[in-house]
Amino acid sequence: MSNIFLKALTGLLFFPFTANAQDVSSITSDTDSQNNSSINWQNRTSDFGPLPPGMDVYSFEGMYQNKPFRAFYVIADPRSGILQIEHDTTQNRRLSPAGFYEKNNHPVLVVNTSFFSFKDNLNLNIIVNRGRLLAYNQHTIAGRGVDSGLYYHPFVSALGINKKGEMDVAWTFTAKNKRKPYATQWAPPLIKDSSTTFLLTNAKSSTTIVNHSSFSTQLHRWKMQTVIGGGPVLVQNSTINITNNQERKFAGNAINDAHPRTAIGYTKEGKLIVLVIEGRNPGIAAGATLTETAAILVQLGCMEALNLDGGGSSCMLVNGKETIRPSDKEGQRAVPAAMVWKVKGEK
């Protein structure tokens, strides 16, 4: 139960912004008249207020891609000097988003983030808070089926925010004997071998194969104050680019299954977007595939974006109020980490 496939199996039922957002934003596809692909986002900020200036909430409920659809997104500028964006983790235990809300003295936003192991309640992806590495990537995953006896060694995609509030999506490597994470700006090919370990030397050698003129391909120290890992990447260079084959998050055709989703990205204007999509709610919300989620993020203006833990884990609170309805019958699922947005100066 400690690998990402079992987390996906249990949590997701998978096998192995614009800078000047209007009160009503519209997302449409070329086949609107055929499959109800129009999303008319409604500004819901007043329903969740009071919120700090520059932070807005949007929602949509209706038909999308010929299925019932319900989603929310929040948008804000990390450079505004108003918000303190942090990650909170628990030690060998889990809290519901409402629990994180109380633990953090009622922040304006709480949202689930990284994948985790149900067996030991450990995060399986990188988490950095205030420059401190709190959780490490899982870089060795046992193969299955024809790959039994072999091991996968993926790099984990993450979104980082530096001291200036500037954002980046990269593929990361973490080592427990290193205080800082490493990153590369391209998705390294998935490594498969018989080794049960994947060391920094292996990671560095695997990222020196490609020489790209426009960005750094080599593994380097990633100097970010805030980092949250998940995967796979959904958007690169403002286009859909799903790197599931490199990250090995979902097996087979699982990326084509519709489920609740949580995703995060940023726009060229430097706005941060967090998107949650409700699912497994018959007649109201069917969920979304990874490709549909990526398309929505592109149409919201994201330059880069990645998937976070979804399924029953998907939940976002704004001022303590639920946005989407969690899909677990018990309600909000307890998770070992959450992103929280706090208003600077408030305790």
Side-chain angles (χ1 to χ4, degrees), residues 34-331:
Q34 301 176 18
N35 62 10
N36 303 109
S37 295
S38 177
I39 293 184
N40 295 308
W41 295 101
Q42 305 294 320
N43 191 316
R44 297 285 303 280
T45 305
S46 61
D47 295 335
F48 292 89
L51 296 176
M55 178 178 172
D56 290 294
V57 183
Y58 291 84
S59 74
F60 171 78
E61 184 170 346
M63 294 297 293
Y64 177 62
Q65 301 291 0
N66 275 338
K67 59 188 177 186
F69 187 82
R70 188 168 186 262
F72 285 77
Y73 77 89
V74 295
I75 183 169
D77 190 338
R79 303 163 301 177
S80 67
I82 298 173
L83 288 174
Q84 179 69 43
I85 298 174
E86 298 182 354
H87 295 295
D88 191 16
T89 62
T90 54
Q91 185 66 33
N92 299 322
R93 64 191 180 102
R94 293 184 281 145
L95 291 175
S96 67
F100 279 104
Y101 179 72
E102 294 299 329
K103 182 174 181 283
N104 286 274
N105 196 28
H106 302 176
V108 292
L109 181 137
V110 177
V111 65
N112 75 290
T113 52
S114 65
F115 292 84
F116 65 93
S117 165
F118 278 99
K119 180 179 179 180
D120 49 20
N121 300 326
L122 290 180
N123 295 294
L124 299 177
N125 311 132
I126 180 176
I127 296 176
V128 174
N129 189 56
R130 297 187 180 185
R132 182 185 174 193
L133 188 57
L134 301 180
Y136 299 85
N137 292 328
Q138 183 186 41
H139 289 298
T140 298
I141 302 170
R144 292 171 174 269
V146 295
D147 288 336
S148 294
L150 298 177
Y151 297 87
Y152 304 115
H153 304 293
F155 288 73
V156 175
S157 60
L159 183 143
I161 307 174
N162 66 17
K163 289 182 179 180
K164 297 180 180 179
E166 299 166 335
M167 290 169 282
D168 181 37
V169 167
W171 289 266
T172 64
F173 176 85
T174 59
K176 292 189 177 180
N177 62 340
K178 300 293 182 181
R179 297 178 62 184
K180 300 294 182 182
Y182 291 79
T184 177
Q185 295 299 314
W186 70 293
L190 182 69
I191 297 170
K192 181 173 65 175
D193 58 29
S194 60
S195 177
T196 59
T197 61
F198 190 62
L199 305 177
L200 180 58
T201 53
N202 305 124
K204 285 184 175 180
S205 64
S206 68
T207 57
T208 58
I209 302 170
V210 175
N211 182 19
H212 198 287
S213 59
S214 63
F215 54 81
S216 171
T217 61
Q218 292 194 359
L219 205 63
H220 58 277
R221 288 287 183 94
W222 207 30
K223 298 179 180 179
M224 293 288 172
Q225 285 294 104
T226 302
V227 177
I228 184 61
V233 162
L234 301 176
V235 178
Q236 281 276 289
N237 299 317
S238 300
T239 60
I240 296 174
N241 182 23
I242 300 175
T243 59
N244 186 59
N245 289 340
Q246 296 92 326
E247 299 188 53
R248 195 65 182 181
K249 282 294 188 296
F250 306 109
N253 293 319
I255 65 170
N256 299 318
D257 295 335
H259 292 285
R261 303 287 180 184
T262 302
I264 190 169
Y266 69 94
T267 71
K268 65 180 181 180
E269 295 86 2
K271 300 293 183 72
L272 180 63
I273 288 179
V274 180
L275 170 71
V276 289
I277 299 171
E278 187 171 322
R280 304 175 186 168
N281 189 355
I284 297 176
T289 69
L290 286 186
T291 303
E292 290 167 348
T293 304
I296 292 170
L297 290 162
V298 168
Q299 293 160 333
L300 285 174
C302 285
M303 289 182 62
E304 296 189 305
L306 71 145
N307 181 62
L308 298 175
D309 190 16
S313 297
S314 284
C315 181
M316 182 170 69
L317 308 181
V318 179
N319 271 335
K321 300 177 183 178
E322 282 187 354
T323 51
I324 64 169
R325 191 189 79 170
S327 65
D328 278 4
K329 64 180 181 180
E330 298 83 6

